[in-house]
Amino acid sequence: MTASPAAEGGAVGGDSPSGGPSESTSGDGEPSRKRARAENTKDTIDADVDAPNPGPPPFEALPIYGEHKRAVSSLAFAPSARSGNSSSALCVSASADGSAKLWDITKNLTEIADAKKKDVDAHPQPKRLEAKLNLFGHSRGINDVAWSPTGDYLATASDDKTLRLWSAETGDAFVEFKGHTNFVFSCRFSPQSNLLVSGSFDETVKLWDIRCGDCVATLPAHSNPVTGVDFNRDGTCIVSGSYDGLVRIWDTATGECLKTVYAEGNPPVGSVRFSPNGKFVLCGTLDSKLRLYDVSGGRDHGTFGGQHRGNRPQPRGGKCSKTYAGHANAKFCAFASFFTANPKRQSVVSGSEDGKVYIYDLQSRKIRQTLEGHHDAVLAVDAHDSLELIGSGGMANDKTVRFWGPSR
């Protein structure tokens, strides 16, 4: 049984999720994270799916691809800080086959760009990539993979109930983290690269010291599997999301729950991610919506929306600033990412169960473009932090890692 999903951008200022000027708003080969279809929510405005898309499509499939033996569950681009070279393009993908693969497409991008300048095809037929590194060690499928902010390490979360720390240079396994009692769904490094946070089917969030592998804190975070975790930009807060429908913000130092948010109808949460400026959380839910919550400000007290969940009042959460709709996501946990490499077209990128990748305009919420090329549901997506580059991974009937760049 193999589960699949739920990285953070650069530290920039401003009040919009990406840090730019803000806009006023009104408000078994498959991953195992199947869920029953959730009820549709009614509390926010859908994206305009049929809006015209002026001009040529900004992205197209690049003539290169990677491949796994089973479904691709997660992928992530290396931070630019890794090499100090913003043109470096390293991507790691993880799979239900129990492996993680590191792809270096820097040279390929140069070849493709040169061919476009000469008005010829760099590769008339898509070229299958050879992985730079193959990471083997987990006994079951891998659900999530993450880069350390320095780019020196990789972390993987697996159905074998463990996490592992790897060298991004050699592929050597350094540390095995044991302590979860069920599948580990999600993992992220702290900005200082000294801590690792994980979310598990055992309903807990754990903090780990990456130097020795010790668990330094366990948060009894949710009443259902934890599907996503992330650190904010300075590492002082952690966000977690769960099938119980809750998104919670935690104080990293004390373990105190600072905020709790949830959508009307309480749809299961499939992924969570802090915005690059740390003021917003992007939350994917199994009602085919992405919601952007404003979680800035200090500690909240009382209940959210004047409501209680169970017998305990919950700390009040942030306002839902935007909702993105158009993609299909009702069964599996699909990732979403912020695309901020080009300030002129800041976007939200989402996987979808219809086999497409959806690109939403960050501010207007309209669909900019859908990317077609996979032959099964797409759960794994990520966007490079400094290049106009998107990566995506398909499920069991596809098994490929594909890359997308500007068409001109």
Side-chain angles (χ1 to χ4, degrees):
M1 179 178 182
T2 305
S4 130
E8 187 167 326
V12 291
D15 294 324
S16 72
S18 62
S22 63
E23 173 191 281
S24 60
T25 62
S26 58
D28 180 284
E30 293 185 344
S32 66
R33 293 160 76 168
K34 280 191 175 182
R35 295 292 296 176
R37 182 175 298 272
E39 292 293 327
N40 288 333
T41 60
K42 308 172 184 176
D43 58 338
T44 46
I45 302 172
D46 290 352
D48 185 0
V49 179
D50 298 321
N53 194 353
F59 287 91
E60 66 180 4
L62 301 181
I64 51 176
Y65 70 96
E67 194 166 16
H68 280 272
K69 293 180 179 179
R70 298 181 74 178
V72 181
S73 53
S74 175
L75 62 82
F77 285 105
S80 297
R82 182 181 192 273
S83 62
N85 179 6
S86 61
S87 298
S88 176
L90 291 173
C91 181
V92 64
S93 58
S95 170
D97 62 18
S99 75
K101 294 177 180 285
L102 182 63
W103 315 96
D104 186 350
I105 63 170
T106 308
K107 183 178 178 181
N108 302 95
L109 295 181
T110 301
E111 292 174 351
I112 293 168
D114 290 344
K116 285 183 176 180
K117 289 178 182 178
K118 298 175 183 178
D119 200 26
V120 298
D121 290 334
H123 304 288
Q125 296 297 322
K127 176 183 176 181
R128 180 176 175 178
L129 299 168
E130 293 295 328
K132 180 180 180 180
L133 291 176
N134 291 281
L135 309 182
F136 297 105
H138 285 291
S139 61
R140 302 186 75 173
I142 300 175
N143 305 313
D144 200 8
V145 62
W147 288 87
S148 66
T150 60
D152 296 322
Y153 305 109
L154 293 164
T156 50
S158 171
D159 271 359
D160 65 10
K161 306 177 188 178
T162 71
L163 300 103
R164 288 179 183 250
L165 182 72
W166 312 80
S167 166
E169 190 64 35
T170 65
D172 293 335
F174 289 148
V175 183
E176 184 178 24
F177 304 87
K178 294 183 177 180
H180 280 296
T181 59
N182 215 321
F183 312 132
V184 189
F185 277 172
S186 184
C187 61
R188 287 293 181 273
F189 284 92
S190 67
Q192 297 77 24
S193 295
N194 62 329
L195 295 175
L196 188 67
V197 65
S198 60
S200 169
F201 200 94
D202 65 14
E203 303 174 4
T204 68
V205 171
K206 289 183 180 288
L207 274 172
W208 310 85
D209 185 330
I210 71 166
R211 294 166 295 183
C212 59
D214 290 344
C215 179
V216 296
T218 298
L219 307 178
H222 294 274
S223 59
N224 268 303
V226 180
T227 52
V229 290
D230 196 12
F231 280 98
N232 67 344
R233 60 184 282 185
D234 62 7
T236 57
C237 292
I238 294 167
V239 62
S240 63
S242 168
Y243 283 153
D244 63 14
L246 303 182
V247 175
R248 284 180 164 158
I249 309 295
W250 307 87
D251 185 299
T252 304
T254 67
E256 179 182 359
C257 181
L258 305 178
K259 297 177 187 288
T260 298
V261 297
Y262 54 93
E264 182 182 345
N266 207 41
V269 176
S271 66
V272 289
R273 176 169 291 194
F274 269 108
S275 63
N277 65 11
K279 296 181 179 181
F280 298 82
V281 168
L282 183 64
C283 168
T285 49
L286 301 191
D287 57 355
S288 298
K289 288 182 173 64
L290 293 165
R291 292 175 174 85
L292 192 66
Y293 289 102
D294 183 348
V295 295
S296 60
R299 181 181 286 102
D300 288 328
H301 300 282
T303 61
F304 175 66
Q307 301 181 40
H308 292 255
R309 292 185 55 81
N311 296 321
R312 294 188 303 172
Q314 301 295 330
R316 181 165 41 203
K319 174 186 176 183
C320 180
S321 300
K322 297 180 184 295
T323 297
Y324 307 90
H327 62 289
N329 185 202
K331 295 168 58 179
F332 302 102
C333 295
F335 284 98
S337 179
F338 291 97
F339 174 83
T340 59
N342 184 343
K344 294 183 179 180
R345 54 173 177 230
Q346 295 176 340
S347 307
V348 169
V349 182
S350 175
S352 179
E353 291 163 11
D354 60 10
K356 302 175 185 177
V357 177
Y358 283 72
I359 304 176
Y360 295 97
D361 184 273
L362 178 64
Q363 297 295 350
S364 73
R365 307 184 298 270
K366 292 182 179 181
I367 296 174
R368 285 184 177 273
Q369 189 182 356
T370 58
L371 308 178
E372 301 185 31
H374 289 284
H375 304 294
D376 201 351
V378 176
L379 305 185
V381 296
D382 194 27
H384 198 280
D385 62 2
S386 61
L387 298 175
E388 292 194 79
L389 182 63
I390 292 170
S392 57
M395 286 183 62
N397 292 326
D398 181 86
K399 299 175 285 193
T400 65
V401 178
R402 298 193 178 273
F403 300 97
W404 315 81
S407 57
R408 62 178 188 277

